[in-house]
């Protein structure tokens, strides 16, 4: 009853609501991150929206004040008329009284008047033309091309409008998402306050939920064990005695007797099984059946034993010979181990070990176990982390290869040798491999890890340029 009362403090519907809210919160945060990226991109593409809008309005106003293209035509016509008029008057002696001469003079005066009018207009609206030139210069700085006219400004505005309104829509979506995120976080805080009586911080939502689930499961498991114990008693609730039965019941005595009885039964069962297994085993050796009596089985067994005795003598001689061979092999193995110990103590291996791990300065073979040491203590190799073991493996390869090759440059083929190392150690390992390559070693590294690939691209690509090759294998 106590446990059931405690379980009421962990309502399943509230726990389900918490988990659903945590799931939604995670999704909202991911959606917000994605939207922020898209919003930033759209803002970047539409950053000249306001300038274009102002530039188009100003350009339209200023363009109406521009001079017509045929301004100089009037000046040319006026000049031709003047030349013709003077030529006729001087060469032929015509007077202005002639009708067509009057028309020519009027044309000359009219063309000059139009030109003077336009020049005056140019002087009065010089600011307008300067504004247009400023717009053209700003357009070239912002878009990298010369401005051909108002149509080009409007075309640029039409292209940017889509990005501008996309940025605006994404901003509204981001604000909605942030608002929904705050609402979900508020709901979670209230849920946890209801269950724990405490205000839980945002970064502890999942841990607190897991703790509540674990506490509820522990209570349910305890309840299950108690229910099982009650069922073993096989007493209905209505048969419970309110008063003692006269004879004091000892749970300890009952439990001890029950345990003793179970042990005796188990021992009898074990002996019967052992005897049956023994008889079956003998029958397998003698060819009898389990239905035969023990006497018949043992007679056949004695005959088989005598035959085996003779065989044993021959085998004994063979074993002695094999022992002598093994002793010889042990002697050679000991010599090989000594060579390994010498290699582990070599200066090049110790140097590679310390450079790669940045900590360990000694490695020894103690029996069949590798032991590594720093300046403070000694550690079994098997107790080290997987990332540290990878570093030591690389140091062993480099050290032994350098010892064997002496001054010759060899090659390494590594298959994701750094994937269990943390990111800081990965950089050290990649730096060491790049250093080997700088000493004319050829290195081939296979990896499915994008971070390791990027480290090699960054470090080896910078060090070797065209001599560094990145080959991507498409699994499809």
């Amino acid at each position: 009853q106590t446990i059931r009362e405690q379980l009421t403090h962990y309502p399943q519907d509230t726990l389900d609501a918490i988990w659903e809210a945590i799931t939604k919160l995670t999704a909202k945060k991911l959606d917000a991150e994605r939207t922020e990226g898209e919003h930033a991109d759209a803002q970047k593409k539409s950053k000249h929206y306001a300038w274009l809008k102002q530039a188009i309005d100003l350009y339209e106003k200023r363009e109406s004040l521009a001079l017509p293209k045929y301004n100089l035509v009037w000046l040319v016509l006026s000049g031709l008329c003047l030349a013709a008029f003077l030529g006729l008057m001087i060469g032929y002696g015509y007077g202005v009284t002639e009708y067509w001469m009057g028309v020519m003079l009027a044309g000359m005066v009219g063309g000059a008047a139009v030109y003077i009018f336009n020049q005056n207009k140019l002087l009065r609206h010089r600011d307008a033309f300067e504004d247009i030139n400023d717009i053209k210069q700003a357009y070239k700085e912002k878009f990298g091309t010369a401005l051909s006219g108002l149509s080009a400004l409007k075309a640029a505005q039409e292209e940017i409008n889509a990005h501008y309104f996309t940025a605006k829509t994404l901003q509204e979506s981001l604000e909605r998402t942030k608002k929904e995120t705050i609402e979900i976080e508020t709901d979670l805080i209230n849920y946890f306050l209801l269950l724990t009586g405490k205000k839980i911080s945002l970064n502890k939502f999942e841990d607190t939920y897991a703790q509540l689930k674990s506490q509820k499961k522990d209570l349910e498991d305890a309840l299950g064990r108690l229910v099982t114990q009650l069922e073993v008693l096989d007493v209905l609730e209505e048969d419970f005695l309110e008063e003692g039965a006269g004879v004091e019941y000892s749970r300890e005595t009952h439990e001890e007797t029950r345990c003793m009885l179970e042990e005796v039964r188990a021992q009898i069962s074990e002996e019967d099984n052992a005897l049956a297994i023994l008889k079956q085993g003998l029958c397998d050796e003698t060819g009898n059946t389990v239905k035969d009596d023990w006497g018949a089985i043992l007679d056949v067994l004695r005959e088989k034993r005598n035959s085996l005795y003779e065989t044993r003598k021959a085998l004994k001689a063979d074993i002695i010979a094999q022992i002598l061979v093994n002793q010889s092999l042990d002697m050679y193995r000991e010599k090989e181990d000594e060579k390994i110990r010498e290699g582990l103590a070599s200066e090049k291996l110790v140097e590679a070990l310390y450079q790669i791990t940045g900590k360990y300065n000694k490695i020894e073979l103690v029996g069949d176990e590798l032991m590594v040491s720093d300046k403070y203590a000694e550690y079994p190799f098997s107790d080290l982390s997987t990332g540290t073991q990878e570093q030591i493996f690389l140091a062993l390869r480099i050290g032994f290869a350098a010892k064997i090759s002496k001054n010759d440059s060899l090659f390494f083929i590594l298959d994701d040798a750094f994937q269990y190392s943390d990111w800081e150690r990965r950089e050290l390992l990649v730096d060491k491999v790049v250093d080997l390559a700088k000493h004319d070693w050829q290195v081939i590294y296979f990896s499915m890890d994008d971070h390791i690939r990027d480290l090699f691209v960054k470090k080896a690509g910078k060090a070797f340029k065209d001599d560094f090759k990145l080959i991507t294998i498409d699994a499809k």
Side-chain angles (χ1 to χ4, degrees):
Q1 289 175 352
T2 302
I3 293 176
R4 283 173 177 157
E5 173 63 23
Q6 292 174 347
L7 282 171
T8 60
H9 299 301
Y10 301 88
Q12 187 60 44
D13 56 344
T14 303
L15 291 173
D16 292 340
I18 289 175
W19 179 246
E20 182 180 356
I22 290 175
T23 304
K24 287 182 179 179
L25 181 61
T26 302
K28 291 294 180 184
K29 289 182 177 180
L30 291 175
D31 185 46
E33 291 178 1
R34 177 185 58 79
T35 304
E36 284 178 349
E38 295 176 355
H39 178 254
D41 183 61
Q43 275 190 322
K44 182 179 179 181
K45 293 178 178 178
S46 63
K47 65 179 181 179
H48 301 310
Y49 173 82
W51 180 86
L52 275 173
K53 186 176 181 181
Q54 294 177 355
I56 289 173
D57 292 340
L58 183 60
Y59 199 98
E60 288 177 338
K61 293 176 182 178
R62 297 299 189 243
E63 191 179 37
S64 63
L65 302 175
L67 292 175
K69 294 181 180 179
Y70 50 83
N71 182 38
L72 294 177
V73 175
W74 292 103
L75 180 62
V76 172
L77 291 175
S78 177
L80 292 175
C81 290
L82 177 61
F85 180 78
L86 293 175
L88 291 172
M89 286 183 66
I90 295 171
Y92 298 98
Y94 288 110
V96 184
T97 55
E98 296 292 333
Y99 175 76
W100 59 272
M101 292 293 290
V103 172
M104 184 178 295
L105 180 61
M108 175 191 68
V109 173
V114 171
Y115 178 77
I116 293 170
F117 173 78
N118 285 335
Q119 288 299 111
N120 183 53
K121 183 179 180 182
L122 176 64
L123 292 175
R124 284 187 291 109
H125 299 289
R126 177 173 297 176
D127 292 341
F129 300 113
E130 289 179 353
D131 288 341
I132 290 178
N133 288 332
D134 290 343
I135 291 173
K136 290 182 177 180
Q137 183 177 357
Y139 182 89
K140 186 172 184 180
E141 292 175 356
K142 295 179 184 297
F143 297 97
T145 58
L147 178 63
S148 59
L150 181 62
S151 59
L153 283 174
K154 290 184 177 181
Q157 185 188 42
E158 184 177 352
E159 181 179 352
I160 286 180
N161 278 348
H163 298 300
Y164 173 78
F165 290 110
T166 297
K168 190 173 180 180
T169 302
L170 289 172
Q171 178 64 32
E172 294 173 355
S173 175
L174 186 60
E175 291 175 356
R176 286 196 303 272
T177 302
K178 290 182 177 179
K179 181 179 179 182
E180 292 171 356
T181 300
I182 294 174
E183 292 175 354
I184 295 173
E185 290 174 346
T186 303
D187 291 341
L188 283 170
I189 291 174
N190 292 333
Y191 284 140
F192 286 120
L193 186 63
L194 177 66
L195 294 183
T196 66
K198 300 178 182 178
K199 186 176 180 180
I200 305 301
S201 59
L202 303 180
N203 60 343
K204 294 184 177 180
F205 282 166
E206 293 192 22
D207 292 340
T208 305
Y209 170 77
Q211 184 179 2
L212 291 173
K213 288 282 289 183
S214 177
Q215 291 172 353
K216 182 179 181 182
K217 186 178 185 306
D218 291 342
L219 288 172
E220 289 174 343
D221 292 343
L223 180 63
R225 289 193 296 271
L226 289 176
V227 169
T228 301
Q229 292 176 10
L230 288 173
E231 290 175 349
V232 170
L233 296 178
D234 195 24
V235 178
L236 298 177
E237 187 173 353
E238 57 267 22
D239 294 335
F240 290 171
L241 296 179
E242 299 293 337
E243 298 179 358
V247 177
E248 184 177 356
Y249 169 74
S250 172
R251 183 177 181 83
E252 290 77 9
T253 304
H254 173 270
E255 188 64 22
E256 289 175 0
T257 305
R258 185 186 62 79
C259 290
M260 290 174 58
L261 182 60
E262 289 181 356
E263 288 178 1
V264 171
R265 288 173 177 169
Q267 289 174 359
I268 292 173
S269 178
E270 288 177 2
E271 294 297 335
D272 286 341
N273 289 336
L275 192 61
I277 292 171
L278 177 60
K279 188 174 185 180
Q280 182 61 58
L282 290 175
C283 291
D284 291 341
E285 295 294 334
T286 61
N288 297 93
T289 65
V290 292
K291 295 181 179 180
D292 295 337
D293 59 46
W294 279 98
I297 295 173
L298 292 176
D299 287 340
V300 176
L301 184 63
R302 290 187 189 95
E303 294 177 1
K304 191 172 185 64
R305 181 179 181 278
N306 293 333
S307 175
L308 290 174
Y309 177 75
E310 296 299 326
T311 304
R312 184 181 70 89
K313 290 194 297 183
L315 290 174
K316 183 177 180 181
D318 184 53
I319 290 171
I320 291 172
Q322 292 185 25
I323 290 173
L324 294 174
V325 172
N326 284 331
Q327 288 175 346
S328 298
L329 292 175
D330 289 340
M331 179 180 65
Y332 286 112
R333 188 177 297 110
E334 182 61 30
K335 291 181 179 179
E336 193 68 23
D337 289 346
E338 185 61 30
K339 290 182 180 180
I340 293 174
R341 292 188 183 94
E342 290 177 1
L344 293 176
S346 67
E347 181 180 347
K348 290 187 178 180
L349 189 142
V350 172
E351 179 184 355
L353 178 66
Y354 185 75
Q355 286 179 351
I356 291 175
T357 63
K359 175 180 179 181
Y360 301 108
N361 55 15
K362 185 178 180 182
I363 182 168
E364 295 179 298
L365 180 63
V366 180
D368 292 332
E369 177 75 15
L370 279 176
M371 302 294 291
V372 293
S373 308
D374 56 18
K375 61 181 179 179
Y376 300 109
E378 186 177 60
Y379 313 93
F381 179 81
S382 57
D383 292 347
L384 301 177
S385 66
T386 304
T388 302
Q389 289 180 353
E390 285 186 352
Q391 290 181 304
I392 294 174
F393 278 139
L394 179 61
L396 290 175
R397 293 187 184 100
I398 294 173
F400 276 109
K403 186 175 184 299
I404 293 171
S405 65
K406 297 181 180 178
N407 295 325
D408 294 335
S409 299
L410 300 180
F411 66 91
F412 268 126
I413 299 177
L414 303 172
D415 185 3
D416 251 340
F418 310 154
Q419 63 177 332
Y420 297 109
S421 298
D422 58 44
W423 286 26
E424 182 178 353
R425 286 174 175 160
R426 284 181 176 184
E427 290 209 24
L428 293 174
L429 293 171
V430 171
D431 287 338
K432 186 59 181 176
V433 171
V434 171
D435 186 57
L436 278 177
K438 288 180 180 178
H439 288 81
D440 296 331
W441 283 64
Q442 183 185 24
V443 179
I444 300 174
Y445 191 100
F446 295 93
S447 179
M448 298 185 296
D449 191 298
D450 291 344
H451 178 245
I452 294 175
R453 176 203 62 196
D454 295 341
L455 284 177
F456 273 107
V457 171
K458 175 183 176 183
K459 296 178 179 292
K462 180 179 180 182
F464 300 105
K465 295 182 173 53
D466 294 339
D467 289 334
F468 169 75
K469 302 297 181 185
L470 173 66
I471 300 174
T472 302
I473 301 175
D474 190 353
K476 296 180 181 179

